[in-house]
Amino acid sequence: MAAAPFGAAPVISDGQYTSTLYGWIRDGKYADVELVLRAKLRESPKSQLVTAAHGFIPSLAAAAMHSRKCATTTATATKTTSQIKWAARRRALQRRKLVGSTRTPRAAMNDDDVVEPSAGKAFSQQAMTDFCVALACRTGLLYGPPEQCTPAPTTLVPAAFPRASYERAVQLAPAMTRLADATCVDPAWLEQALAAAARADVFTDALIRVRSAAEPTRAAAAGGGGLTLGVYRSDYMVDEPTGRLLQVELNTVASSFGALSTLVSRMHAAALRFASADAEACGTLDETDDSVLPRTSDVEGWPPAPANVDAAITRHMPENGALEGIAAALAAAHVAHGRIRGTESARRHIVFVVQPGETNVHDQRLLADRLWQHHGIPVIRATLAQLARHAKSSRGSSTPSSSVPCDRLAAALRDVPDFADTADGAAKILADAGYEPGANGGRLFYRGREISVAYFRAGYTPNDYPTAVEWAGRYAIEASSAVSCPSLALQLAGTKKVQQDMADTDELRTALERKAKADGKSAREGGVEDDVASLLDAFAELCAPNTDVVARAAADPQAWVLKPQREGGGNNFYGDGLAEKLKSATAEELDAYILMERIRPASQASWMLRSARPTRVQETLQELGVYSASLTYDGQAIKDMTLDGGGELDRAVSGSALGHLLRTKAATSDEGGVAAGFSVLDSPWLE
Ligand code: ADP
Ligand code: MG
């Protein structure tokens, strides 16, 4: 039985021993990466080999000593071939406590299965890298500000992911969407749920205050007031000890990387085709296998791929429609805004609210390109400060009235210590710009263009509000009839505290019943009990850090994660840091945190590409995100509105899965997040 390598790379060498990374396609099936260690010595006792390996691949050496394969292959090494194969996914024993026990290694290959590429013919890591870098540049799979962007951090090949867990995550999307919508139906409940956290955290407090200051104007805004688009990403890890798919968090604001993750899936498929085509050219595929037929790729410039590789890709790599789906959701909101406002003004634009010096530009621009090219909708980009300074209630200049209701904004911020000094300034900025909240039916203009949808890719961290000017920008949108993606209520619904509340069965049921009622349905019609059961099944243990749980967590800090009310990665406490924080924080301070059971995913070897350079193979963990979207009127389903007769737009906001994101991080890293620099973009190979 033949096996074709799709990648081979000298990973490390100390002169005597060389380790090489291979990916294998066996029987048309991509069979993950493996390390091959070659000893250059003909006579190499097992102990010497393992000691040598210890010197430069500690985790593999540790695994090797426990490997049944070790004895056999060492024997081979002392004879002639000097070849040892070790499954790279085995992780270092010393990490067992941190990352859980290793996934059962795949059945070891027989030596006969191995077709070793001969020197010069092997598909090299450099060739693979060159292919991926070139493809990333051609397709826009880029990261960084325009003047310094590089190919986005990715892996070179997909990661193995359990098919059942992937399918479960996709199935959960409609229930997760209903849950997000449910938690913002009733702002009074939301405020009460977040009251203690807001007392301890000035940012949460400011979000709540600005939301309630803008609420009357938002509600009164004629027509489109109160329309909210939710673009969600529910993140999961598979807990290895229990095999359960557990939610890490539900993102309701700036759920990013949909566009780039779509391109990664496509890049990986192309790279496998390319590599296997190259392997075929090297004569490494079984020539007697009739199913191995060259196939001309339908994408110009890509080399032909063997048919069985195509079949394997189709079978194992799920389609990823996140880019198209999220763009369609934004288009749906734009169309709904036009319908409700009774205008199809060609001058309406979607605004992407971005951070100054944004680094994830291409993920956003790909969405903007899709909106313009496929839906004919123009997009402009603006920071919160730019919006504050140029917001208007009508196309032309207007004379602000003396009773500018954005005084409410000043009042709201005045009570928040950090913003007290500049609170009046915020209101004045809007008044000077000519923005009168609620005037002209709540219409919002920015540099002469009417805004249909404000899509936030900023505004989720206190760093995005360095002065009250940025709060003024946020308020201007919240108080207008433009569709907010998300509204402040929906952003608050995605906080860690609300996530923790929803892990309580009664709270969850009540929230879903409230949503069903708001939609004019009974609990039964709304499928509340089914949702409760499937959602609870996906929740890890989540608790408020009260005395009971604090004692448990302090006694076993490796089993918990302590999370503040923050988004964007890099904020959580683990292990010793967690124990320390629990000790030093007062009970009031801990109100801004939640405690979450630590999920222990299995590790596997990955080969990453950062700044266009391949990294060493390393043990990694995977986190799967599933995107979905919904369009609501203050949390309630919009009745009697079909946007395109059950077509692309309606489907996009139906709550079903739109696509996925797989992120891979080093097994030694507690944190995740691509933008935060911990993870890289990956794609799942389902098995
Ligand atoms: P953020 O809003 O900052 O993205 P997350 O809840 O997603 O916060 O946590 C950041 C990262 O920390 C995750 O991507 C994941 O890698 C890790 N993490 C979070 N919660 C857990 C958990 N319960 N168990 C293991 N790792 C976790
Ligand atoms: Mg996260």
Side-chain angles (χ1 to χ4, degrees):
M1 192 190 317
F6 63 76
V11 174
I12 196 158
S13 167
D14 75 341
Q16 273 190 329
Y17 303 96
T18 309
S19 75
T20 308
L21 180 72
Y22 291 100
W24 299 96
I25 292 177
R26 267 178 273 131
D27 293 339
K29 184 176 181 308
Y30 160 61
D32 213 334
V33 282
E34 299 204 28
L35 275 179
V36 175
L37 178 71
R38 283 195 199 78
K40 289 205 171 147
L41 293 177
R42 275 182 157 255
E43 295 302 315
S44 180
K46 177 181 168 185
S47 58
Q48 188 183 336
L49 200 58
V50 170
T51 312
H54 244 308
F56 60 95
I57 322 177
S59 65
L60 291 173
M65 284 191 278
H66 292 261
S67 161
R68 184 185 55 81
K69 195 81 179 145
C70 191
T72 333
T73 49
T74 303
T76 315
T78 57
K79 280 188 199 159
T80 51
T81 63
S82 308
Q83 187 186 69
I84 291 179
K85 300 190 302 293
W86 286 321
R89 63 172 54 218
R90 290 177 207 130
R91 58 165 188 48
L93 296 178
Q94 65 269 27
R95 282 207 303 274
R96 177 156 290 161
K97 267 210 104 174
L98 283 179
V99 296
S101 61
T102 309
R103 186 187 300 178
T104 313
R106 239 180 226 108
M109 286 191 293
N110 296 323
D111 281 351
D112 291 346
D113 288 345
V114 181
V115 178
E116 190 178 334
S118 48
K121 283 189 176 175
F123 188 84
S124 75
Q125 186 188 38
Q126 193 56 52
M128 188 80 148
T129 300
D130 289 350
F131 178 84
C132 287
V133 167
L135 190 59
C137 293
R138 289 209 303 288
T139 55
L141 177 46
L142 301 167
Y143 191 78
E147 66 283 6
Q148 310 171 312
C149 66
T150 61
T154 61
T155 54
L156 276 175
V157 291
F161 197 84
R163 183 181 292 277
S165 299
Y166 170 84
E167 286 171 354
R168 179 93 191 101
V170 167
Q171 257 173 16
L172 276 167
M176 286 297 172
T177 308
R178 283 190 286 276
L179 173 62
D181 295 344
T183 41
C184 69
V185 171
D186 182 356
W189 173 83
L190 200 52
E191 286 190 15
Q192 168 262 315
L194 288 167
R199 276 194 296 278
D201 177 44
V202 75
F203 180 57
T204 308
D205 191 36
L207 291 172
I208 291 173
R209 286 175 190 279
V210 172
R211 192 212 69 78
S212 70
E215 184 177 25
T217 319
R218 179 177 167 83
L227 262 183
T228 292
L229 174 70
V231 172
Y232 308 121
R233 197 188 70 225
S234 182
D235 292 335
Y236 306 90
M237 283 175 164
V238 180
D239 185 55
E240 198 204 15
T242 59
R244 288 175 69 199
L245 176 84
L246 294 177
Q247 186 181 56
V248 174
E249 65 161 344
L250 177 58
N251 298 281
T252 61
V253 59
S255 306
S256 50
F257 288 110
L260 294 189
S261 72
T262 301
L263 297 189
V264 173
S265 298
R266 292 169 195 171
M267 179 186 82
H268 278 165
L272 291 179
R273 287 194 176 99
F274 173 56
S276 56
D278 190 83
E280 185 188 40
C282 295
T284 48
L285 287 177
D286 185 350
E287 281 158 19
T288 63
D289 182 352
D290 286 344
S291 69
V292 184
L293 297 170
R295 196 194 84 126
T296 307
S297 167
D298 46 6
V299 179
E300 203 188 339
W302 289 358
N308 60 349
V309 172
D310 272 336
I313 287 169
T314 307
R315 201 163 56 244
H316 295 279
M317 295 189 70
E319 288 278 328
N320 193 353
L323 164 58
E324 292 79 8
I326 296 170
L330 288 162
H334 176 91
V335 170
H337 176 266
R339 293 267 181 87
I340 288 180
R341 292 214 49 76
T343 164
E344 283 302 329
S345 153
R347 298 197 63 174
R348 288 182 312 129
H349 284 55
I350 292 181
V351 65
F352 283 13
V353 184
V354 298
Q355 294 172 328
E358 173 69 59
T359 47
N360 199 8
V361 179
H362 299 278
D363 187 50
Q364 299 162 2
R365 287 203 181 269
L366 286 158
L367 281 174
D369 289 351
R370 174 81 187 170
L371 277 163
W372 176 242
Q373 287 161 6
H374 188 72
H375 300 281
I377 301 171
V379 168
I380 37 176
R381 298 162 61 81
T383 63
L384 282 167
Q386 286 170 331
L387 276 158
R389 295 211 163 91
H390 300 283
K392 293 206 185 325
S393 328
S394 66
R395 198 177 309 286
S397 59
S398 64
T399 316
S401 74
S402 51
S403 59
V404 181
C406 52
D407 283 351
R408 289 199 207 108
L409 170 65
L413 292 180
R414 199 169 294 122
D415 289 344
V416 181
D418 284 11
F419 309 110
D421 294 346
T422 44
D424 289 323
K428 188 166 179 317
I429 284 159
L430 289 181
D432 287 349
Y435 182 70
E436 190 179 343
N440 198 7
R443 293 168 82 174
L444 175 67
F445 291 84
Y446 174 72
R447 297 188 194 271
R449 290 113 158 189
E450 181 167 11
I451 301 304
S452 57
V453 182
Y455 173 49
F456 283 90
R457 295 293 294 256
Y460 53 86
T461 142
N463 303 337
D464 289 344
Y465 303 89
T467 70
V469 177
E470 287 76 16
W471 284 112
R474 187 72 199 250
Y475 177 84
I477 294 167
E478 184 74 9
S480 78
S481 63
V483 186
S484 298
C485 178
S487 63
L488 277 164
L490 189 51
Q491 180 169 337
L492 289 162
T495 51
K496 309 284 190 279
K497 200 73 198 164
V498 172
Q499 181 189 7
Q500 176 235 304
D501 271 343
M502 288 302 108
D504 177 274
T505 312
D506 292 338
E507 292 272 18
L508 178 63
R509 181 175 292 113
T510 308
L512 290 167
E513 283 171 356
R514 198 185 297 129
K515 163 78 176 147
K517 190 168 167 212
D519 290 346
K521 294 177 180 167
S522 67
R524 178 196 278 262
E525 287 163 345
V528 168
E529 284 312 313
D530 288 347
D531 280 356
V532 168
S534 55
L535 291 169
L536 285 177
D537 187 49
F539 292 161
E541 188 175 354
L542 286 147
C543 328
N546 55 34
T547 6
D548 237 19
V549 189
V550 166
R552 267 172 71 201
D556 188 7
Q558 301 291 354
W560 296 89
V561 182
L562 183 66
K563 300 188 175 188
Q565 300 295 95
R566 289 287 175 275
E567 299 293 327
N571 303 301
N572 300 339
F573 293 84
Y574 305 82
D576 293 344
L578 176 150
E580 190 50 45
K581 187 75 189 170
L582 289 181
K583 229 185 282 166
S584 62
T586 63
E588 289 69 37
E589 281 164 358
L590 286 179
D591 280 339
Y593 291 77
I594 64 160
L595 271 167
M596 182 173 184
E597 166 195 353
R598 183 155 188 162
I599 309 168
R600 293 163 185 277
S603 67
Q604 64 180 294
S606 292
W607 197 7
M608 299 180 190
L609 189 62
R610 284 184 187 275
S611 304
R613 288 202 188 84
T615 63
R616 284 184 179 180
V617 69
Q618 57 184 309
E619 286 291 289
T620 58
L621 309 177
Q622 280 63 43
E623 182 171 348
L624 177 74
V626 173
Y627 297 93
S628 63
S630 67
L631 190 57
T632 53
Y633 195 94
D634 288 337
Q636 301 164 32
I638 302 169
K639 300 205 180 67
D640 311 322
M641 190 193 284
T642 302
L643 300 168
D644 61 351
E648 186 183 12
L649 302 190
D650 286 328
R651 278 200 308 276
V653 291
S654 69
S656 299
L658 299 174
H660 57 265
L661 163 73
L662 191 75
R663 285 173 298 172
T664 280
K665 64 172 183 177
T668 47
S669 168
D670 289 325
E671 272 293 335
V674 177
F678 300 104
S679 305
V680 303
L681 303 165
D682 204 338
S683 72
W685 181 272
L686 304 182
E687 50 180 26

